[in-house]
Amino acid sequence: MRGLLFGKYISPHLINYNERISVNNVNITDKEIEACLEKIAPIVDKYNASHEIKVKEFEVITTLAFIYFAEKKCDFVVLETGLGGRDDCTNIADGEISIITDIGLDHMDILGKTIEEITEVKAGIIKENKDTVMYEQKLVTHIIKKRCKEKNNTLHLADINEIENYSFDEEFQKIDYKNHKNILINLKGKCQTKNCILTLECINILREKGYEISDEAVKGRS
C-alpha cells in the first residue's frame, strides 16, 4: 500500500494538540489548523447564535479533521471516537471497519447506567453491510452479535488465546498471532497486545478485500 495517504485522528493528545490529526505520521501544522478553523468559524457562530446547545470543542476538531483529510486527499483514515457509538460525531463517517475495544462503565451520565445499556449505544458504530472487529467480552458480545446481524455486518472476533510467544524488552513487546509472526508493539502495557490483535484482524480483512499489505509493513520496526 505504498504511495497512499493515511490520515489519523486521535484523542486526547500526549504533548502537542497537533498530534490529534496527522497524515502519514506528519502532524497538522498550526497554520493548517488556523486555515481550517477560518472555514469552520462562521458556520459555528451562525449555529450557536440560533441554538441553545452550542457546538462542542470535539465536534469542531472532528470537523476540522474531516476537512483536512479531504484537502489532503487521504486514501484511508483511522478515526478514534470520543465517547464512541451511536451519538459520537465521528459516526457520520461510513467506515469500512468498525473496531470495538473494551466496553466498560464509563460516561454513565450519557451512555447508560448498565454495561448492557452502554453497549447498545456503542453498537451504534456498526455499519450496514460492512465489518466489525472486537474480542470476546462475555457480558456484551451477544449484543454486538445481534446488532451485526441486524445490519448484515460481518463480525470478526479476535481471540486473545491465540497470542503466542509473548516477550518484551525496554523498547517493544513482541507477539505471534495466527498468521502474523514477530509483531512488534512499541506501546507499553499488556493491554496493548489486545489492541494489536484487533489491528491484525483488520489487516486480514483488508487483505481479503484485495489490498496488498506486506508482512514487513505489518511487523513494524526491528
Side-chain angles (χ1 to χ4, degrees):
M1 301 180 78
R2 292 179 181 177
L4 301 180
L5 293 177
F6 295 83
K8 183 173 65 177
Y9 176 54
I10 61 172
S11 63
H13 57 280
L14 293 177
I15 300 172
N16 188 292
Y17 200 89
N18 306 58
E19 297 169 16
R20 294 178 176 231
I21 302 171
S22 63
V23 175
N24 284 6
N25 292 322
V26 177
N27 294 341
I28 189 172
T29 66
D30 291 343
K31 287 186 177 181
E32 288 170 326
I33 290 176
E34 184 178 350
C36 289
L37 285 176
E38 286 177 352
K39 297 174 183 177
I40 298 169
I43 301 170
V44 172
D45 290 342
K46 182 178 180 180
Y47 181 92
N48 285 345
S50 59
H51 291 77
E52 182 178 351
I53 299 177
K54 310 303 180 185
V55 177
K56 298 176 177 61
E57 177 191 354
F58 187 74
E59 294 168 337
V60 171
I61 191 65
T62 300
T63 303
L64 190 156
F66 286 166
I67 292 173
Y68 184 69
F69 294 144
E71 289 180 345
K72 290 291 186 179
K73 295 181 171 57
C74 288
D75 299 285
F76 290 86
V77 172
V78 176
L79 295 174
E80 182 178 5
T81 63
L83 296 179
R86 182 189 64 212
D87 303 321
D88 195 281
C89 60
T90 60
N91 203 30
I92 193 173
D94 188 22
E96 286 294 319
I97 304 173
S98 300
I99 303 173
I100 300 174
T101 57
D102 276 325
I103 297 177
L105 295 173
D106 57 346
H107 302 291
M108 295 173 67
D109 56 323
I110 299 173
L111 300 180
K113 300 301 182 184
T114 67
I115 194 69
E116 290 81 10
E117 289 178 354
I118 292 171
T119 302
E120 290 286 356
V121 177
K122 298 273 190 178
I125 198 174
I126 295 169
K127 306 297 192 297
E128 196 88 32
N129 302 318
K130 299 298 177 64
D131 293 88
T132 296
V133 174
M134 67 177 291
Y135 37 75
E136 181 73 41
Q137 300 178 53
K138 291 182 179 179
L139 296 177
V140 303
T141 299
H142 69 285
I143 298 173
I144 301 299
K145 285 182 176 179
K146 179 174 180 290
R147 183 63 60 86
C148 285
K149 185 176 181 180
E150 293 169 351
K151 293 287 186 177
N152 193 35
N153 183 291
T154 303
L155 177 61
H156 307 258
L157 283 175
D159 187 352
I160 60 175
N161 294 315
E162 292 198 52
I163 296 175
E164 297 179 333
N165 300 320
Y166 173 79
S167 64
F168 67 93
D169 56 28
E170 292 183 356
E171 290 189 88
F172 300 105
Q173 300 183 83
K174 182 187 290 187
I175 65 169
D176 294 340
Y177 178 72
K178 295 184 177 178
N179 55 311
H180 300 282
K181 308 300 180 183
N182 299 315
I183 302 300
L184 298 177
I185 307 168
N186 63 359
L187 293 174
K188 305 297 190 261
K190 198 71 176 286
C191 64
Q192 298 300 341
T193 62
K194 294 165 71 177
N195 291 333
C196 178
I197 66 173
L198 293 178
T199 303
L200 296 175
E201 291 288 348
C202 288
I203 289 167
N204 287 343
I205 293 169
L206 291 173
R207 283 174 168 173
E208 289 173 3
K209 292 178 180 291
Y211 295 102
E212 295 183 5
I213 307 173
S214 69
D215 290 339
E216 290 72 20
V218 175
K219 287 179 180 180
R221 294 183 296 169
S222 58

